[in-house]
Amino acid sequence: MANIAAKRIKREFKEVMKSEEVAGGAIKLELLDNSWTELQGEIAGPPDTPYEGGTFLLEIKVPETYPFNPPKIRFMTKIWHPNVSSVTGAICLDILKDQWAAALTLRTVLLSIQALLSAAEPNDPQDAVVAKQYKENPTLFALTARHWTHAYAGGPAAIRDFDAKVQRLLDMGVDEHQARVALSTYDWELERATEQLFNREE
Amino acid sequence: MAGYFEEMGWRELQEGEQPNHLLHMARFLIDFGMYEDNFSGEWPRLPPPASKEAVQNLPEVTIDSESKNCPICLKSFHSGDKAKEMPCHHQFHPTCILTWLERTNSCPFCRHELPTDHEGYEAFKKEKKRAEQRKEDLDTLHNSMFS
């Protein structure tokens, strides 16, 4: 890895460790190898959002050309959000693409991703299904996002009705995550979700 | 009257030259707000590099304090270090900022834009400015009529 990238990540790492966000538990950063190219980030779900109480892990890959090019970041923890792919965890955020600026740091990027959880941009979606639900049925979207936070990110609030529906599909032999995706996609209508799951397998 | 043509980014027709009717139609539609939605106001990619001239003309300054660091490599400046200063007064190591400006034209710290050598991008910026001016004019007109 180019020298400037590794040196900068080292400096950033120190900065993050001293920051008040780390002290307050809002964000975390961990090294995954000694070459400073792969890190793991962690953000707390912001208060007053469906992600509250959840902990979300992020994969961070630092390119050799950092900081002239942005780090590659995706969610490792599954999340229901208009700007994050519910399949791959890819994030649609301008500063990770053409609005990247060399003075941004891993700390400011993690805080921006956290802010994205509080304020989604449904008109610039990464996941079209989620964005549609966000716009057309905000109440159901919030419940679904809360349910995913509970299922994958250690969030506190279980949605009993949703859990029961997931269980119904589990009893039919469907994989748990697939069941959750199908139900979330079809606004928790058990019949339509079942139909879609079993038609696809044929 | 030359000022008018300059300001609009147009030029007078040459002897025997026919106006470009398609271009006129497009301008007409834009000026009357028919194409507002088509002008999203966003450049769809990373803006182009800063112009060679602008980069060459960046002043070099001598750092006189120990407290600042270069926002690109995050290394502290030392008293007596040479740095390049952007028009927004943000200071960087020469190699750091030159590498960045070869990629895109704005200050990595505050996004203040330098001119580019890219014709399309400069035309876009001019059009964006005109769109903002039109909106302001409309607001002024609206306020003077209804308040």
Side-chain angles (χ1 to χ4, degrees):
Chain A
M1 169 181 237
N3 217 7
I4 175 164
K7 279 190 180 160
R8 201 184 109 145
I9 291 289
K10 278 184 207 169
R11 287 191 198 101
E12 281 193 42
F13 201 73
K14 279 187 209 151
E15 179 211 55
V16 172
M17 288 309 156
K18 281 189 292 188
S19 71
E20 52 189 85
E21 292 89 8
V22 165
I27 60 170
K28 254 193 218 172
L29 195 60
E30 256 175 65
L31 271 181
L32 289 188
D33 64 4
N34 289 325
S35 68
W36 303 90
T37 54
E38 284 194 35
L39 298 95
Q40 182 170 284
E42 199 182 297
I43 55 177
D48 302 319
T49 69
Y51 312 104
E52 181 170 13
T55 303
F56 298 87
L57 296 182
L58 297 147
E59 174 190 86
I60 303 171
K61 290 191 172 166
V62 181
E64 276 189 28
T65 50
Y66 186 77
F68 300 105
N69 283 301
K72 294 187 168 61
I73 304 188
R74 71 176 187 93
F75 273 88
M76 310 265 284
T77 306
K78 297 203 179 310
I79 181 169
W80 191 252
H81 185 284
N83 305 107
V84 183
S85 162
S86 59
V87 181
T88 63
I91 306 169
C92 180
L93 182 62
D94 55 0
I95 58 161
L96 292 177
K97 294 172 189 163
D98 51 14
Q99 288 297 308
W100 170 252
L104 292 168
T105 62
L106 293 180
R107 175 179 154 269
T108 51
V109 167
L110 288 179
L111 292 173
S112 300
I113 295 173
Q114 196 177 39
L116 187 67
L117 298 189
S118 308
E121 302 268 1
N123 293 323
D124 186 18
Q126 178 76 37
D127 194 306
V129 174
V130 184
K132 187 164 178 276
Q133 188 183 65
Y134 181 95
K135 285 205 246 184
E136 292 175 2
N137 200 339
T139 313
L140 197 65
F141 161 79
L143 284 172
T144 307
R146 201 175 291 277
H147 169 78
W148 279 54
T149 304
H150 177 68
Y152 298 116
I159 314 288
R160 304 228 171 279
D161 177 41
F162 290 0
D163 287 339
K165 284 177 176 166
V166 171
Q167 189 58 47
R168 286 280 296 280
L169 289 174
L170 286 185
D171 292 344
M172 293 184 220
V174 177
D175 166 79
E176 182 181 330
H177 179 61
Q178 275 184 358
R180 187 165 287 119
V181 170
L183 285 162
S184 303
T185 303
Y186 290 100
D187 293 345
W188 297 90
E189 289 173 26
L190 191 55
E191 233 172 78
R192 281 170 67 207
T194 314
E195 194 179 299
Q196 187 259 352
L197 282 167
F198 286 94
N199 278 343
R200 199 169 51 182
E201 275 171 25
E202 273 163 20
Chain B
M1 285 307 280
Y4 171 78
F5 285 95
E6 239 162 65
E7 192 189 320
M8 303 302 281
W10 301 345
R11 58 176 182 78
E12 288 179 81
L13 288 179
Q14 302 293 314
E15 210 38 36
E17 189 184 6
Q18 289 294 313
N20 182 338
H21 294 291
L22 209 63
L23 197 64
H24 277 276
M25 188 66 183
R27 277 184 186 142
F28 176 82
L29 289 173
I30 289 171
D31 283 346
F32 284 84
M34 315 282 284
Y35 269 96
E36 209 151 1
D37 288 344
N38 281 10
F39 189 79
S40 70
E42 293 302 324
W43 183 251
R45 327 177 264 287
L46 186 73
S51 77
K52 290 210 175 64
E53 196 193 340
V55 171
Q56 270 168 9
N57 290 339
L58 284 182
E60 193 163 77
V61 295
T62 307
I63 300 289
D64 57 2
S65 87
E66 297 274 334
S67 57
K68 279 190 247 168
N69 58 14
C70 167
I72 294 182
C73 66
L74 303 181
K75 236 187 272 180
S76 310
F77 284 126
H78 297 297
S79 226
D81 279 359
K82 296 271 182 249
K84 288 276 182 192
E85 186 173 278
M86 292 281 282
C88 48
H89 301 301
H90 293 121
Q91 299 167 341
F92 306 87
H93 288 118
T95 45
C96 291
I97 191 64
L98 296 183
T99 311
W100 176 255
L101 292 174
E102 278 170 20
R103 185 174 175 269
T104 188
N105 70 330
S106 61
C107 169
F109 201 78
C110 68
R111 300 187 196 279
H112 175 90
E113 289 193 52
L114 293 182
T116 72
D117 288 328
H118 189 289
E119 243 176 70
Y121 185 70
E122 293 301 316
F124 157 83
K125 272 207 298 194
K126 207 183 254 177
E127 182 53 43
K128 186 171 171 175
K129 218 170 158 186
R130 286 184 64 203
E132 275 161 16
Q133 184 63 46
R134 274 198 301 275
K135 194 176 173 296
E136 212 173 278
D137 291 349
L138 268 178
D139 285 349
T140 311
L141 183 65
H142 184 274
N143 289 342
S144 66
M145 284 166 78
F146 296 109
S147 64

